[in-house]
Amino acid sequence: MYITKYARKVTVIVLHDVGIVDCNRASAEKAFNNPKIEFVWNSVLAEIKGKGEVESVVVKNLKTGELTELAAHGVFIYVGMIPGTDFVKGKIELDERGYILANEQMETSVDGVFAAGDARVKYLRQVVTAANDGAIAAVSAERYLDEEQSFKDEVVNVDKPVALVFWSPASNESIDMASRLDALIAAAGGKYKVVKVDVSRKKRIAQKYNVEVIPSILLLEKGELQLQLNGNVDDDTIKAQLKI
Ligand SMILES: Cc1cc2nc3c(=O)[nH]c(=O)nc-3n(C[C@H](O)[C@H](O)[C@H](O)COP(=O)(O)OP(=O)(O)OC[C@H]3O[C@@H](n4cnc5c(N)ncnc54)[C@H](O)[C@@H]3O)c2cc1C
């Protein structure tokens, strides 16, 4: 139906018996009544002919074996609507039809696994949207690897316990608390390494530790959570809780 908007005539080659098509009845009736569409039943495409561009096709009748050549200017292989996602089935979240669920950043249900293109649940499956997804997925994957590496370098593989402070440029109190924490720990002889996480740029670390309140302070040892202070806490509370 869609191709008849652009083509003078559309020939649909169907491998089933007369009148049987793999779509709902309402769409089938519309197609049968469209004067631009003709059907060739019990047949498959055997060959596409042409020099540089399509000039004709050879159609094979599956019942008689007869080959018929039809003039054509284009061929659209209707490959069906089953996404080839079996290799990730049971590993990442799919919808009931087998399409991969991925968010705006192309993140799937599994940390570090990204999806792009027709295999995703999406509104429009076209080259331009697939390329768009691909660009986003590539940037997301690059940021993911970068965040993972800097987390290991700055938080996990360090000698001291780490005081992670989650702040955001949109929250003045979080900026203030980050510098107060810095000063308090410095005054106490640098018992902890202070790492400041800007949640507007690095959301993953906050998600990893379920940090929902900005500011928050987390005390970690080799990446393991020891203590969590949510909200804008005063100096005395910080000193008492961090034992500094
Ligand atoms: C007949 C037809 C006409 C179309 N016409 C247009 C059009 O005019 N304009 C338009 O914008 N879009 C059109 N589209 C849609 C467009 O082709 C797709 O939206 C686009 O190609 C999707 O890109 P993709 O990279 O997600 O998937 P694909 O282009 O399908 O690429 C996926 C690739 O992954 C490979 N692959 C699959 N499984 C595995 C595996 N397990 N391991 C390794 N590789 C694997 C496949 O072989 C394939 O090469 C058309 C589609 C069809 C079928």
Side-chain angles (χ1 to χ4, degrees):
M1 294 293 288
Y2 182 75
I3 297 168
T4 58
K5 289 184 189 172
Y6 308 100
R8 280 193 299 276
K9 182 182 164 194
V10 175
T11 304
V12 184
I13 298 158
V14 187
L15 51 74
H16 304 303
D17 281 333
V18 177
I20 301 172
V21 282
D22 294 319
C23 66
N24 63 68
R25 208 61 223 164
S27 301
E29 290 301 333
K30 271 190 186 171
F32 294 152
N33 292 326
N34 188 317
K36 283 185 169 182
I37 300 181
E38 272 181 23
F39 289 84
V40 177
W41 304 101
N42 296 308
S43 299
V44 291
L45 189 69
E47 193 180 345
I48 302 170
K49 288 185 168 181
K51 291 196 179 97
E53 54 189 52
V54 178
E55 289 166 17
S56 67
V57 294
V58 178
V59 176
K60 182 181 180 184
N61 186 299
L62 293 172
K63 291 208 164 156
T64 62
E66 188 188 350
L67 296 172
T68 310
E69 190 163 342
L70 301 174
H73 291 118
V75 176
F76 286 80
I77 315 281
Y78 189 74
V79 290
M81 304 292 279
I82 301 169
T85 53
D86 276 356
F87 69 106
V88 288
K89 201 172 178 182
K91 297 188 174 90
I92 61 176
E93 208 179 329
L94 307 176
D95 76 356
E96 67 285 353
R97 295 182 301 162
Y99 289 102
I100 300 168
L101 291 159
N103 65 15
E104 278 276 294
Q105 284 78 43
M106 306 300 142
E107 295 162 327
T108 66
S109 58
V110 174
D111 205 31
V113 178
F114 302 86
D118 279 12
R120 294 179 56 221
V121 174
K122 65 197 297 191
Y123 179 66
L124 181 65
R125 292 193 173 82
Q126 282 204 338
V127 171
V128 69
T129 66
N132 165 76
D133 290 359
I136 295 172
V139 169
S140 291
E142 199 264 337
R143 286 189 184 164
Y144 170 84
L145 293 172
D146 185 48
E147 275 190 51
E148 284 292 297
Q149 193 56 49
S150 55
F151 184 73
K152 276 187 199 146
D153 294 345
E154 291 174 28
V155 178
V156 181
N157 300 329
V158 288
D159 298 334
K160 285 183 193 180
V162 173
L164 270 185
V165 54
F166 292 85
W167 70 282
S168 152
S171 157
N172 285 334
E173 63 177 17
S174 73
I175 297 169
D176 171 61
M177 196 170 87
S179 39
R180 281 193 290 115
L181 180 73
D182 239 351
L184 290 170
I185 289 177
K191 186 176 174 187
Y192 305 114
K193 178 183 176 189
V194 178
V195 175
K196 296 172 186 164
V197 181
D198 174 358
V199 291
S200 68
R201 293 177 59 236
K202 295 190 173 179
K203 293 190 175 65
R204 292 199 55 259
I205 300 176
Q207 283 164 357
K208 190 177 184 133
Y209 291 102
N210 297 320
V211 172
E212 287 169 358
V213 181
I214 303 302
S216 281
I217 296 173
L218 265 57
L219 188 63
L220 303 172
E221 226 170 318
K222 298 282 174 208
E224 295 296 321
L225 182 65
Q226 309 295 318
L227 178 83
Q228 180 157 354
L229 297 175
N230 292 328
N232 189 18
V233 285
D234 60 33
D235 288 5
D236 289 341
T237 309
I238 294 175
K239 284 200 268 187
Q241 292 288 329
L242 297 188
K243 299 188 175 60
I244 50 176

